[in-house]
Amino acid sequence: MTARKSRLHFSSIDDVIRELAPSYPVFCVFPDILRARARAFVEGFPGTVLYAVKCNPHPFVLDALAEGGISHFDTASISEIAKLAELMPEAQCYFNHPVKGRGALEAAAHVYGLKDYVVDHMDELDKVVSVAGTDITVEVRVGTPKGKAVYDLSSKFGAPPDAAVALLKEARRRGCRTALAFHVGSQCVDPAAFHIAMELAAKVRDKADVPLDYLDVGGGFPAIYKLNVPPLSDYFGVITNARDEFGFDIPLLAEPGRALVADGCSVLTQVHLRKGDDLYINDGIYGCLSEIRDGDLDPPVRAISRSGPLDGATQPFRIFGPTCDSLDVLKLPFHLPETIAEGDWIEFGLMGAYSIGMQTGFNGFITDTVVCIDGMHEEFVF
C-alpha cells in the first residue's frame, strides 16, 4: 500500500496523483471555491447567512467558509456546537434541530450559551424552556407543502399552521422571544417554493399576532449536478420580493448547506478491479458516495491514469464500492473511457455536500486523507 504523506496543499488533482499515487480514497477540498461561494451568499442573500454544519463539518471547509464571511451556523447536535466553539469561539450557533436531548440542551444553554432554539411541538417547547429558561428565542418551524425538492424535509419536521400559531403564542406567554422558520426541502429546484412558504409563514404570523425576532427561510438552495437549475440570484429575488409583499419587516435568516459547499470538494477514488463493464473502487455508499444513490444524483466524473487524464471513447460502467455488501453499488451508470483499468483513478466532482460527514467506516473502509487544492481550477468546472 502506498504510504500516506503529510503534505496538505496541492496545485491540482493531477498533482495529488503524481505526489501520492494513492491506493486509498482522497477527499479534496477547494478552499478558494468555498470562499467564493460564501461571499456570493453573504453579498446576495437579503439577510444573515447560517451555514448548515451537517452538510460538511470538516474543519478545512468550515475555515474556508468563515474566511468567505460566514460567522453564523445552523447546528443540530452538541458535537457540532462544540466543534464550532473550539474552531471559531466567536461564531454564533443556532440549535435548529427540532428534537433535542435534555443533556444536549443543558450543554448548549449552560456551557455554550446558545440563545436560539427550534421547536415544532408543544412538548419540545416545554423541554426547551425547562432546561434553557425563557431568555431565549424560540423558532417555531412550520411545515411546508412538498414541492420540487429531492428531499421533503417537512415529512419529518414542521408544525401544521394552527399548531405553529399555538406554539408562538405559548412561547411568548412564557416570556420567550419568538421567531418563525421553515424548510422547503433539500435540493429545491423551484424558487417559487420560497414564495409559497413565506406566504404560509405570513398567515401564521398574522394569526399568532406576536412580535417576531426574525424569519428563518431555511435551506434548499440547489447545486447543479448536471441539472438545469435556476441561478441563486433567482432564489434571492423571490425571497426579497416575498419579504416585501408579505410585510416581513424583520431580519431574514437562511441556512444554506449544499449550494455553499457542493462544488467546493471532490472525491478521488481508485479502480481496484475491472470485470467487464463493472468497476470496483475504494469508496462507495458507506463512505463519501452515499448521496449519489440516495438522491439519484449524477455528479460529473473524470478518469485519470498515472500519465494524465484518460481520453478517448467512453462507455457506461456500473460502479461498486469496496465493502462486502452487494448493496454497495451506485445505481446510475457512469460514462468513462473504455480503456479504464485497475490502478486508474476516478474523480467524482460536486461532492462537497453530504459526503465525508456521512461515511460510516463499515468493513473498515474510511476516507481519512483530506487535502486542499489551491486555486479556482476553472479549467475543469464541475
Side-chain angles (χ1 to χ4, degrees), residues 36 141 218 224 276 348 363 372:
R141 179 161 165 177
I224 296 174
F348 290 81
N363 250 176
C372 291

Side-chain angles (χ1 to χ4, degrees), residues 72-75 80-81 84-85 91-95 114-116:
H72 295 244
F73 296 86
D74 160 27
T75 50
E80 290 182 352
I81 294 166
L84 265 298
Q92 184 169 338
C93 294
Y94 300 69
F95 209 154
L114 267 66
K115 294 293 186 180
D116 299 80

Side-chain angles (χ1 to χ4, degrees), residues 97-99 120-121 141 143-144 151-159:
H97 195 309
V99 181
D120 69 355
H121 192 272
R141 179 161 165 177
T144 58
Y151 302 105
D152 176 17
L153 299 187
S154 289
S155 65
K156 183 174 183 178
F157 298 122

Side-chain angles (χ1 to χ4, degrees), residues 36-58:
R37 297 296 176 265
R39 286 193 294 270
F41 256 98
V42 170
E43 295 168 4
F45 178 73
T48 300
V49 179
L50 287 60
Y51 171 57
V53 177
K54 62 182 175 290
C55 190
N56 188 327
H58 196 277

Side-chain angles (χ1 to χ4, degrees), residues 8-12 29-32 35 372-377:
L8 293 178
H9 286 264
F10 295 83
S11 62
S12 66
V29 178
F30 300 81
D32 292 296
R35 284 189 282 266
C372 291
I373 311 295
D374 298 322
M376 293 296 288
H377 296 274

